[in-house]
Amino acid sequence: MASYTPPLRDMEFVLHDVLKIEQSETPGYSELDRDFTSAILDEAGKIARDVLAPTNAKGDEQGCVLENGVVRTPDGFQDAFDLLREGGWTGLDCDPDFGGQGMPYIMGVAVGEMHSAANMAFNMYAGLTHGAYSAIHTHGSDEQKATYLPKMVSCEWTGTMNLTEPHCGTDLGLLRTKAEPQDDGSFKITGQKIFISAGEHDMSDNIIHLVLAKIPGGPEGVKGISLFIVPKFLVNEDGSLGDRNALSCGKIEEKMGIHGNSTCVMNYDGATGYLIGEEHKGLRAMFTMMNEARIGVGLQGLGQAVAAYQAATDYARDRLQGRAVTGTENPDGPADPLIVHPDIRRTLMDQKSFIEGGRAFLLWSASLIDAANLARDEDAHGLISLLTPVVKGFLTDRGFDMTVQAQQVFGGHGYIEEWGMSQFVRDARIAMIYEGANGVQALDLVGRKLAQDGGKHVMAFFEMVKAFIKDNADNEDLRTGFLEPLKAASKDLQAAGMYFMQNGMKNPNHALAGSSDFMHLFGHVVLGLMWSRMAKAALEGDSDFHKNKLATGRYYMARQLPATKMHLARIESGADPVMALDAEAF
């Protein structure tokens, strides 16, 4: 069974030495000094290491079981959930008016990485609840907030989102679930939703479903979608639980991974629901939850890469196989450890450099969300809107790749269940699919986000990179290994954007055929920027930690960042090679 070590030192470095959060003008950040964040992260790390990680393999093995309409979660999940609730962890960054602790979102992301790395399936129960909380907090009425949010902040009640239907995934305009208006202002919700994570389980007293449905007579397509609160148990005026609502779990999906999370088919048979916000404006409210979820899914991709890398590193140090080509390094043993071999070092460095760069990307993104929400910074809002599909798509694609590389370090043992490596691969795989498949994220990036506000935000990103390079041009230690590769990669990204501008209007396929490559090109440039910032901070110290940080960063800039040239070449090949065959030829 794989163990988990919280990356506390690295998180502290990113938060305080790179992002310098306590110096930020974002409200609440001045309180985030090293002692405070260290205390929070240390306790969260202990829970991840000592409580959540030991339940991970068991959750994978046992899965969830549907019995008489009730889903039983794996052994240990209830106790772990109770521990999180009792410690206030489920409301870490929630509104104090509803029982939350009111910390900035960046702290929730840092804690979330550790908890997701330790047990991704388990962490989804609280994570989805947080997303539902955010949607109600932003778009709900005062009465709805008072009724639902205190119990959701504490996770006495959990939450879900219900979008997908058997015939309808990304194309929500096709959904059929109906919402019939009632004389008392409520609605009767009828329809079936699938792939509903945490749709039914035994760890909370109530489950608050957020359900997309259409009110008869409304506009066609997505313009006619509304969002409804549909509780598992109706809530009385005094806040107590009333009758069971007319909804049920029809089945639990048999999945490739995340077995410890109950992925349900939910049937709504005239269930009582309550409109959130305005009629026919449901997507706007739901996307509050979706955008948060996309950051959370990027976090999952990173988290599984972290857990798999830690296991692979331990194995590479212990497993004796062959001799180093430069001479024996373990003369008292029958062979040298795997980690002496250059190809093993390569794959471990691939993982390490992605993980540390990805962690900085994720925490920087969280700081932008805080600036947008707490400081009402419109520029930060625009930039994180641009970057959200990159966070989701790039970190999950590459995170999955890293779990496969970690599995490869084990050789045949990586394919055997008792070593636990296949779980990381299987769990990470879903992150590339749900909350908008990564191909859709790439289309959103190229088709909508690049041109948003006249291209203002992508130009702001280019200026950010340019300014960093210019401001540090006299730093000899940064220039060759970091600034020059970053400049070259940024030029590749700009060239790709220019190709889309020159060719996409004439034939949109030229842009869309290169969208996934553009998303990855963008992701590499962001990590190049993150590594350059981390290198600048690391040069201010002389500990082994700082020296190792610089070596890892140089590896990324030399061995990973040049992938931007490959992605640019693919983009500039246009749509013709992609669309050359007729559909019948496949």
Side-chain angles (χ1 to χ4, degrees), residues 138-183:
T138 303
H139 301 283
S141 66
D142 290 342
E143 181 182 358
Q144 288 170 340
K145 293 177 188 178
T147 299
Y148 298 103
L149 294 190
K151 298 287 189 181
M152 295 177 73
V153 167
S154 67
C155 270
E156 293 172 75
W157 300 351
T158 56
T160 71
M161 61 175 163
N162 288 235
L163 291 81
T164 307
E165 299 181 6
H167 63 285
C168 164
T170 301
D171 190 355
L172 291 173
L174 299 176
L175 69 80
R176 297 171 184 161
T177 299
K178 292 184 179 180
E180 298 280 354
Q182 304 298 299
D183 293 340

Side-chain angles (χ1 to χ4, degrees), residues 205-208 231-235 241-245 247:
D205 297 331
N206 202 3
I207 301 175
I208 311 305
K232 175 181 174 180
F233 290 100
L234 299 175
V235 182
L241 296 182
D243 295 335
R244 170 73 185 246
N245 211 347
L247 59 90

Side-chain angles (χ1 to χ4, degrees), residues 277 356 385 513 579:
E356 294 178 15
S385 178
M579 306 301 290

Side-chain angles (χ1 to χ4, degrees), residues 404-435:
V404 173
Q405 287 204 38
Q407 184 186 39
Q408 189 76 10
V409 171
F410 283 71
H413 291 294
Y415 202 67
I416 304 300
E417 289 297 330
E418 69 180 277
W419 288 89
M421 296 308 291
S422 80
Q423 184 185 353
F424 299 129
V425 175
R426 290 184 285 104
D427 286 357
R429 186 64 183 87
I430 185 58
M432 303 161 71
I433 299 172
Y434 61 12
E435 309 304 345

Side-chain angles (χ1 to χ4, degrees), residues 40 43 47 80-92 101 103 154:
I40 297 295
E43 288 302 313
I47 292 172
F81 207 58
D82 290 344
L83 182 68
L84 288 183
R85 284 193 288 227
E86 291 163 6
W89 295 101
T90 59
L92 191 70
Q101 298 193 43
M103 293 185 197
S154 67

